Amino acid sequence: MHPQPIDVHDTADERLRRDGQRYTSNRRVLIDALRAANRPVTVLELIDGAPGMAQSSAYRNLSVLEEAGVVRRLVTADDTARYELAEDLTHHHHHLICESCGSVIDIDVPAELEDGVTSFSSSVAKSHGFRIEHHRLDLIGVCPACSTAAR
Amino acid sequence: MHPQPIDVHDTADERLRRDGQRYTSNRRVLIDALRAANRPVTVLELIDGAPGMAQSSAYRNLSVLEEAGVVRRLVTADDTARYELAEDLTHHHHHLICESCGSVIDIDVPAELEDGVTSFSSSVAKSHGFRIEHHRLDLIGVCPACSTAAR
DNA sequence: TTTACTGCAAAGGGTTTGCAACATG
DNA sequence: CATGTTGCAAACCCTTTGCAGTAAA
């Protein structure tokens, strides 16, 4: 996929510069937190994990990072936004969502299924005149912790 | 699937009663609007289409209807909730979403692809200890209207 | 005649924005 | 030193809730 391993910070820096933005320490902290999480995290989680960063800075920076294509914003089951690193900095994946507690886990999908989605996608693009940018395949249910807690 | 055609109003009435609720005229209006829309609609759209219904009633009723399994609440790209009739009152389908204007269109997925998702789903259920309730396969891009407007 | 439903208005909670101070190229 | 960035606080918007009155079983 990638000729050589991508350095997330270098890439972030580069993409921000392209937008006339700077790769500040707040932004670096956010990227590190997202990388460490390995799952989509809420803004509140990010703020809690980065004491000293103002809420507004977190929101503003995430928005700038999204604009630069470094992170992706998701809205899943609850109404709070979650962020993850852009797929070209990690890998293509999908999500397993607990509709009880809202937690999200990354999952990988078999190549055959992925291919099926891709070809379906292009046929819909044609029939509906859409330019399709990406797709989203979520499995939604109740996580082990929540089903245990409900007992 | 259904031995005989389901009447949406009868079913709504029945499911509400089961919950100790009544099928009032406000609720009927919402159901009719959802049925006419044939796509997920925002609460604001529903309120606009039902003059005289208080915002709070719309939100409360949609919530009651969701609880009764008559409607489904979605959060797609923008952060506003959208509602549609429950799938067992319509049919299983997926969504084509414009990330520019937020509009949502219902789409049907080929049976083979659907089967692939189902079997993947049960393997994930096993491996992660999740009880999987449903899935979501969205195609996300830019609708014809928005790509034209951008020119 | 009890219980659910309604509209109104106020509160709630995640997110955005105005502004003056700060930091970076 | 010009422009981007920050923190603070206020504003914003969608949604929820308290309450007193109304309607249905």
Side-chain angles (χ1 to χ4, degrees):
Chain A
M1 211 57 163
H2 302 306
Q4 44 217 42
I6 281 185
D7 180 88
V8 175
H9 290 301
D10 288 351
T11 311
D13 185 64
E14 177 193 317
R15 293 186 185 173
L16 285 169
R17 272 174 210 291
R18 193 207 293 146
D19 283 10
Q21 311 270 7
R22 298 166 191 166
Y23 193 35
T24 63
S25 69
N26 269 347
R27 291 174 187 172
R28 179 175 282 265
V29 166
L30 290 171
I31 295 293
D32 279 332
L34 289 176
R35 194 153 59 149
N38 253 326
R39 59 180 178 84
V41 286
T42 64
V43 181
L44 184 57
E45 288 174 311
L46 289 169
I47 292 169
D48 285 351
M53 178 162 10
Q55 266 200 359
S56 57
S57 295
Y59 279 107
R60 264 191 290 231
N61 283 325
L62 288 165
S63 173
V64 167
L65 289 167
E66 188 192 15
E67 189 67 28
V70 181
V71 306
R72 180 154 70 143
R73 179 187 147 104
L74 311 172
V75 184
T76 54
D78 46 12
D79 300 322
T80 55
R82 284 162 203 268
Y83 285 87
E84 64 183 5
L85 289 182
E87 285 199 330
D88 65 351
L89 297 179
T90 54
H91 68 289
H92 181 57
H93 63 276
H94 294 283
H95 295 126
L96 176 57
I97 301 169
C98 175
E99 63 190 350
S100 172
C101 67
S103 66
V104 181
I105 295 170
D106 287 0
I107 50 176
D108 291 309
V109 165
E112 315 85 73
L113 181 50
E114 202 61 68
D115 291 345
V117 173
T118 304
S119 71
F120 171 58
S121 181
S122 43
S123 85
V124 170
K126 240 171 251 168
S127 60
H128 286 75
F130 255 67
R131 175 159 46 86
I132 294 184
E133 304 280 356
H134 54 272
H135 62 261
R136 173 161 79 188
L137 173 55
D138 297 331
L139 303 184
I140 300 155
V142 183
C143 74
C146 284
S147 24
T148 306
R151 268 196 224 123
Chain B
M1 210 58 161
H2 303 307
Q4 45 216 45
I6 281 186
D7 181 88
V8 175
H9 290 302
D10 288 353
T11 309
D13 185 65
E14 178 193 315
R15 294 186 185 173
L16 285 168
R17 274 175 208 291
R18 193 206 294 146
D19 284 8
Q21 310 273 4
R22 297 164 192 168
Y23 193 36
T24 64
S25 70
N26 268 347
R27 290 172 187 176
R28 178 176 284 266
V29 166
L30 289 171
I31 295 293
D32 280 331
L34 289 177
R35 194 155 56 150
N38 254 326
R39 60 180 178 82
V41 285
T42 63
V43 180
L44 184 57
E45 288 173 312
L46 289 169
I47 292 168
D48 285 351
M53 179 165 6
Q55 266 200 359
S56 56
S57 296
Y59 280 106
R60 264 190 289 232
N61 283 326
L62 288 165
S63 172
V64 168
L65 289 166
E66 189 192 16
E67 189 67 27
V70 181
V71 307
R72 182 155 69 144
R73 179 187 145 105
L74 310 172
V75 184
T76 52
D78 46 11
D79 300 322
T80 56
R82 284 161 204 268
Y83 285 87
E84 63 182 6
L85 290 181
E87 286 200 327
D88 64 352
L89 297 179
T90 53
H91 69 288
H92 181 57
H93 64 276
H94 294 282
H95 296 125
L96 176 57
I97 302 169
C98 175
E99 63 190 350
S100 170
C101 68
S103 66
V104 182
I105 296 169
D106 287 0
I107 51 177
D108 291 310
V109 165
E112 314 85 72
L113 180 50
E114 203 61 69
D115 290 345
V117 174
T118 304
S119 71
F120 171 57
S121 181
S122 43
S123 85
V124 171
K126 239 170 251 166
S127 60
H128 286 75
F130 256 67
R131 174 159 45 84
I132 294 183
E133 304 280 356
H134 54 273
H135 62 260
R136 173 162 77 188
L137 172 55
D138 299 330
L139 303 185
I140 300 155
V142 182
C143 74
C146 284
S147 25
T148 306
R151 264 193 228 128

